[in-house]
Amino acid sequence: MKIIDAHSHLWLKQDTEWNGKPIKTLKNGRSNFLGEEVQMVPPFMIDGVNSAEVFISNMDYAQVSAAVVTQEFIDGIQNDYLAGVERRYPHRFFVCGMCNYFAPGFCDEAERLIANGFKAIKIPAHRLLLDSGRIMMNTPEMMRMFGIMQEKGIILSVDLADGDMQVGEMKEIIQEYPDLKIAVGHFGMVTTKGWQEQIKLARNKNVMIESGGITWLFNSEFYPFRGAVRAIKESIGLVGADKLMWGSDYPRTITAITYKMSYDFVLKTGELTDDEKAAFLGLNAEKFYGFEGLEIPRYVKNMSE
């Protein structure tokens, strides 16, 4: 089965801030995250470097053909690094550019990213809710950016705040720009009240849902994440199996589980059909992001088998 990861992250070093608080790489995979020491990546990443090469090794081991690399403000803007990643590994990665939406002029920045070859723009919209106030996604500059993206065929990758908090803004964007391709992340913040309203956005023709972070959201029940399977099944009932894509949220999620476990629970469940699994795990993302010529990494037996 061809498997594509629709939500992952890469960075060389975390050295940024969000909402006035620091995020900085420490050691042994840990980071200062908003004033708290956390295990940001697995402890074997002792220098905190979350590189494309380590990810490819994980992808090959788990037989994942390709990955979409999104961005997050808590990692710092990674445009320069990701542009190089896609140049070096064009058949393995589809990367998203990201702008500084906290300052005027980001629409011009988005145009420069598009001119430099980025085929998607990321908005971590849940991070637009600051202590100092909320940045709306339907401001004139935002809407102008979406218009340019629609015209040029650029994908919008967006993570929304809990439940239906930002669904109204998204509906306005979709209505104004019906041909803008949109991928909504974190599976609608499933486990929060009103998450189904985010899923229902995929009833619009160019909107998809991806499951990056779903194992984090169901971390309390752990593998085999039966609640996550039930949520996927419910979402198929809401929007259809052809509107959903698997995403891992690598590498943060693999502090608790292996990379393969982040999709293995879908493969092994009896609650989904083989066709639903194939669509969710790869076929939908292959079509939506335009991957071509993908190969399935060969299986290598574990020494312990």
Side-chain angles (χ1 to χ4, degrees), residues 1 37 51 63 96 99 102 130 134 197 211 251 253 259 263:
M1 186 180 294
E37 184 177 2
S51 70
Q63 294 184 281
C96 300
C99 307
F102 303 110
L130 305 171
R134 175 175 173 179
E197 296 308 306
S211 73
T253 48
Y259 184 49
Y263 73 80

Side-chain angles (χ1 to χ4, degrees), residues 240-301:
D242 61 335
K243 302 293 282 185
L244 309 176
M245 304 181 291
W246 169 69
S248 69
D249 214 357
Y250 174 98
R252 278 179 273 269
T253 48
I254 65 165
T255 57
I257 58 175
T258 68
Y259 184 49
K260 188 172 183 178
M261 288 169 71
S262 65
Y263 73 80
D264 188 61
F265 74 97
V266 175
L267 275 183
K268 291 183 176 176
T269 183
E271 297 298 310
L272 302 173
T273 68
D274 288 346
D275 286 346
E276 289 169 341
K277 293 175 184 179
F280 179 67
L281 290 175
L283 295 181
N284 294 339
E286 183 177 31
K287 179 180 179 181
F288 184 75
Y289 289 102
F291 285 106
E292 295 180 348
L294 294 182
E295 297 181 359
I296 299 174
R298 67 185 180 92
Y299 175 74
V300 177
K301 186 178 73 171

Side-chain angles (χ1 to χ4, degrees), residues 68-86:
V68 177
V69 184
T70 181
Q71 294 201 51
E72 237 278 27
F73 287 122
I74 63 172
D75 303 327
I77 294 176
Q78 301 290 328
N79 294 328
D80 291 342
Y81 178 56
L82 294 187
V85 166
E86 189 166 53

Side-chain angles (χ1 to χ4, degrees), residues 32-106:
N32 177 355
F33 179 62
L34 307 179
E36 178 185 11
E37 184 177 2
V38 301
Q39 193 73 44
M40 182 66 65
V41 294
F44 56 77
M45 294 183 180
I46 58 174
D47 55 3
V49 174
N50 171 33
S51 70
E53 289 73 22
V54 171
F55 190 20
I56 287 174
S57 181
N58 274 284
M59 291 165 65
D60 286 348
Y61 176 76
Q63 294 184 281
V64 173
S65 295
V68 177
V69 184
T70 181
Q71 294 201 51
E72 237 278 27
F73 287 122
I74 63 172
D75 303 327
I77 294 176
Q78 301 290 328
N79 294 328
D80 291 342
Y81 178 56
L82 294 187
V85 166
E86 189 166 53
R87 283 194 299 269
R88 293 195 302 275
Y89 308 107
H91 300 298
R92 302 304 297 272
F93 294 117
F94 180 105
V95 303
C96 300
M98 187 170 72
C99 307
N100 178 12
Y101 306 109
F102 303 110
F106 61 80

Side-chain angles (χ1 to χ4, degrees), residues 19-40:
N19 209 14
K21 297 179 181 179
I23 303 103
K24 292 185 180 295
T25 295
L26 300 175
K27 63 179 181 178
N28 298 336
R30 300 173 184 174
S31 290
N32 177 355
F33 179 62
L34 307 179
E36 178 185 11
E37 184 177 2
V38 301
Q39 193 73 44
M40 182 66 65

Side-chain angles (χ1 to χ4, degrees), residues 15-279:
D15 186 7
T16 187
E17 66 175 39
W18 175 75
N19 209 14
K21 297 179 181 179
I23 303 103
K24 292 185 180 295
T25 295
L26 300 175
K27 63 179 181 178
N28 298 336
R30 300 173 184 174
S31 290
N32 177 355
F33 179 62
L34 307 179
E36 178 185 11
E37 184 177 2
V38 301
Q39 193 73 44
M40 182 66 65
V41 294
F44 56 77
M45 294 183 180
I46 58 174
D47 55 3
V49 174
N50 171 33
S51 70
E53 289 73 22
V54 171
F55 190 20
I56 287 174
S57 181
N58 274 284
M59 291 165 65
D60 286 348
Y61 176 76
Q63 294 184 281
V64 173
S65 295
V68 177
V69 184
T70 181
Q71 294 201 51
E72 237 278 27
F73 287 122
I74 63 172
D75 303 327
I77 294 176
Q78 301 290 328
N79 294 328
D80 291 342
Y81 178 56
L82 294 187
V85 166
E86 189 166 53
R87 283 194 299 269
R88 293 195 302 275
Y89 308 107
H91 300 298
R92 302 304 297 272
F93 294 117
F94 180 105
V95 303
C96 300
M98 187 170 72
C99 307
N100 178 12
Y101 306 109
F102 303 110
F106 61 80
C107 184
D108 294 335
E109 185 182 0
E111 288 194 273
R112 288 192 293 270
L113 290 173
I114 294 167
N116 287 333
F118 282 93
K119 294 174 286 188
I121 299 294
K122 179 69 184 194
I123 301 181
H126 59 308
R127 303 291 182 193
L128 300 181
L129 280 65
L130 305 171
D131 291 342
S132 59
R134 175 175 173 179
I135 299 173
M136 306 294 286
M137 286 190 293
N138 54 0
T139 63
E141 187 170 11
M142 282 281 194
M143 297 299 272
R144 182 163 68 92
M145 182 179 74
F146 298 141
I148 293 167
M149 291 170 64
Q150 176 178 258
E151 179 185 349
K152 296 182 179 295
I154 304 300
I155 294 172
L156 170 62
S157 174
V158 61
D159 300 331
L160 301 178
D162 291 1
D164 62 357
M165 186 180 301
Q166 294 173 311
V167 167
E169 295 164 60
M170 287 304 305
K171 287 181 177 179
E172 182 177 339
I173 294 164
I174 293 165
Q175 182 176 2
E176 186 71 19
Y177 304 108
D179 294 323
L180 176 64
K181 295 177 69 174
I182 301 172
V184 178
H186 294 163
F187 217 71
M189 287 304 292
V190 62
T191 71
T192 66
K193 184 179 179 181
W195 67 274
Q196 294 93 338
E197 296 308 306
Q198 291 192 38
I199 304 299
K200 290 176 187 177
L201 291 171
R203 290 175 176 172
N204 295 280
K205 64 176 182 176
N206 287 314
V207 181
M208 301 286 287
I209 305 295
E210 46 94 337
S211 73
I214 196 169
T215 59
W216 151 62
L217 290 161
F218 284 96
N219 182 66
S220 61
E221 69 174 40
F222 206 63
Y223 188 89
F225 303 109
R226 291 185 176 88
V229 172
R230 288 192 295 270
I232 294 168
K233 190 71 175 177
E234 181 177 351
S235 298
I236 289 172
L238 290 172
V239 298
D242 61 335
K243 302 293 282 185
L244 309 176
M245 304 181 291
W246 169 69
S248 69
D249 214 357
Y250 174 98
R252 278 179 273 269
T253 48
I254 65 165
T255 57
I257 58 175
T258 68
Y259 184 49
K260 188 172 183 178
M261 288 169 71
S262 65
Y263 73 80
D264 188 61
F265 74 97
V266 175
L267 275 183
K268 291 183 176 176
T269 183
E271 297 298 310
L272 302 173
T273 68
D274 288 346
D275 286 346
E276 289 169 341
K277 293 175 184 179

